[in-house]
Amino acid sequence: MSRTLELLPAVDVRDGQAVRLVHGESGTETSYGSPLEAALAWQRAGAEWLHLVDLDAAFGTGDNRALVAEVTAAMDIKVELSGGIRDDATLAAALATGCTRVNLGTAALETPEWVAKVIAEHGDKIAVGLDVRGTTLRGRGWTRDGGDLYETLARLDSEGCARYVVTDIAKDGTLQGPNLELLKNVCAATDRPVVASGGVSSLDDLRALSALVPQGVEGAIVGKALYAKAFTLEEALAAVAS
Ligand SMILES: O=C(O)c1ccccc1NCC(=O)[C@H](O)[C@H](O)COP(=O)(O)O
């Protein structure tokens, strides 16, 4: 039986507001109001997942931890938490929200021993975000280079990492379509499931990502396209189901 692409509508939180950035750059925010209202709207529309990002924690400009916990607690659906989860304290706080899994980014680049340890402890509750420009990874809210994509992927595979969230930063928040070549290359380099992130602009983009499910693309994060009303979540779910 062929699998259906999972859709993860995104709620990125900055200074208490749901926002979208362009290329993940601080200062490019467009605000979309209450994160809780946005998350509840995606849930009502039929989402099975929410991708919830604390951008302040990612950028080191504070955090929205209480709000992120409040939103997660209000959800009946699965929640993937991202942004600033880099040590025992931030991981414990993230897992204590009851989220389904967390997404580690910077830590995988800067504290690989710690990441190997928490992968061993928490299994598929841990995903690693591979956020790239070209094939160079970026950490600290995507502001600093952090090594080669494929070397890091091989290391994380050997440590038992369960899944990867792959973002082409050049595409993120731009509505220019996902980087299908990058996704195919990552899927060819690992047998772990891949969640695609960044750039989805149309139902055709989602159909193109669905075509990569047999190669290992498990899901797609959708942000700007939903907020810009390029399509509705209901239409997106129907597109990937057909
Ligand atoms: O996920 C992070 O930790 C993060 C850190 C710094 C900047 C952005 C970050 N995430 C952004 C997202 O996960 C977006 O919601 C996602 O890529 C959706 O992109 P798009 O559909 O292009 O709006």
Side-chain angles (χ1 to χ4, degrees), residues 10 12 20-21 24 51 53 55 58-59 82-84 103 131 141-142 167 171-175 197-200 221-225:
D12 292 17
R20 282 305 302 125
L21 308 179
H51 174 74
V53 184
L55 287 173
F59 289 126
S82 191
N103 191 23
D131 308 317
W142 303 353
T167 307
K171 296 280 195 173
D172 200 81
T174 66
L175 296 174
S197 187
V200 169
I221 293 168
V222 188
K224 186 73 173 275

Side-chain angles (χ1 to χ4, degrees), residues 44 62 69 94 99 123 175 184 188:
R44 276 195 302 274
C99 68
L175 296 174
K184 284 183 210 166

Side-chain angles (χ1 to χ4, degrees), residues 157 161-162 164 186-194 215-216:
D157 265 4
C161 185
Y164 302 102
V186 171
C187 287
T190 179
D191 59 359
R192 312 301 150 80
V194 167
Q215 292 176 51

